[in-house]
Amino acid sequence: MITKLEYTMQNIFQLSNIENECFKRNAWSIPALRGEFENDFSHFFGYVMDDKIVGYTCVRIMYEEAQVCNIAVLPEYQRQGIGSQLVQKLVDFATESGCQVAELEVNTANEKAVGLYLKNGFVVAGVRPNFYRTSTYPTRDAFTMLKQLNQ
Ligand SMILES: CC(C)(COP(=O)(O)OP(=O)(O)OC[C@H]1O[C@@H](n2cnc3c(N)ncnc32)[C@H](O)[C@@H]1OP(=O)(O)O)[C@@H](O)C(=O)NCCC(=O)NCCS
């Protein structure tokens, strides 16, 4: 079940665990997660199984544009359609919030994530060389990907 996540320390600790499992040394820290929850533009959604958050996404609603901040699914729950359901949720939420477009950056070498976004209607709009300061991938370049909403 996908649910909107409130700003509680229990949720922060669960998201921190997902971050560490999925992003290792590039994981969002607990202060970074808290800061994002305190951002009025940010909204978090979690995929919950048996009271445990197994995947989450964060989206910033910036007037006509939705910025996808992050998405991650615990490794043992990946490739079961959870990521796609989270993308669909953020797309629906952004559309209901009046956004015209959803935008994100993703490492050009992150095949899983690029595949996820392509499967869910995003298109590559451009490449940002050296977008990431550090990377666990062989490149620091990012694709900018877009999805037009209300279509
Ligand atoms: C990217 C991620 C969120 C996908 O979540 P998921 O629950 O596995 O996604 P889904 O099961 O809905 O898969 C959707 C599509 O993503 C792509 N995909 C997912 N896992 C993949 C893999 N291991 N290899 C290649 N493509 C993959 C495929 O196109 C897949 O569609 P298909 O199963 O019909 O081939 C997950 O792999 C993850 O958490 N990765 C680490 C964190 C990360 O990189 N986040 C993105 C930051 S921008």
Side-chain angles (χ1 to χ4, degrees):
M1 185 184 79
I2 295 180
T3 180
K4 195 161 191 298
L5 297 177
E6 302 301 327
Y7 180 13
T8 65
M9 283 318 290
Q10 193 186 7
N11 284 343
I12 297 274
F13 288 137
Q14 290 197 63
L15 298 193
S16 174
N17 176 51
I18 297 172
E19 282 286 316
N20 289 331
E21 292 258 341
C22 289
F23 297 106
K24 313 288 183 206
R25 66 184 166 88
N26 290 318
W28 275 3
S29 64
I30 285 177
L33 284 163
R34 294 185 69 162
E36 198 60 41
F37 267 101
E38 286 164 10
N39 183 333
D40 289 340
F41 293 109
S42 290
H43 305 268
F44 285 76
F45 295 92
Y47 192 101
V48 180
M49 287 173 81
D50 299 328
D51 291 333
K52 176 182 167 185
I53 303 170
V54 301
Y56 89 97
T57 188
C58 170
V59 59
R60 289 185 194 156
I61 302 296
M62 307 282 285
Y63 310 102
E64 75 283 354
E65 185 177 303
Q67 296 176 349
V68 183
C69 309
N70 217 348
I71 184 164
V73 175
L74 283 172
E76 60 269 37
Y77 293 90
Q78 290 179 9
R79 212 73 195 258
Q80 298 171 30
I82 293 173
S84 293
Q85 289 184 59
L86 286 166
V87 171
Q88 201 48 57
K89 180 69 194 181
L90 75 84
V91 163
D92 290 347
F93 181 75
T95 305
E96 286 160 14
S97 301
C99 296
Q100 301 294 313
V101 64
E103 183 267 346
L104 59 87
E105 275 80 31
V106 57
N107 192 298
T108 56
N110 187 347
E111 290 176 11
K112 295 186 199 179
V114 173
L116 168 73
Y117 297 129
L118 288 174
K119 183 174 178 177
N120 288 283
F122 283 77
V123 295
V124 173
V127 178
R128 294 187 171 193
N130 298 318
F131 178 78
Y132 298 102
R133 262 184 300 159
T134 63
S135 173
T136 49
Y137 295 97
T139 171
R140 294 187 291 119
D141 299 348
F143 285 133
T144 295
M145 298 184 77
L146 299 177
K147 180 178 170 71
Q148 297 298 325
L149 308 176
N150 296 312
Q151 288 188 338

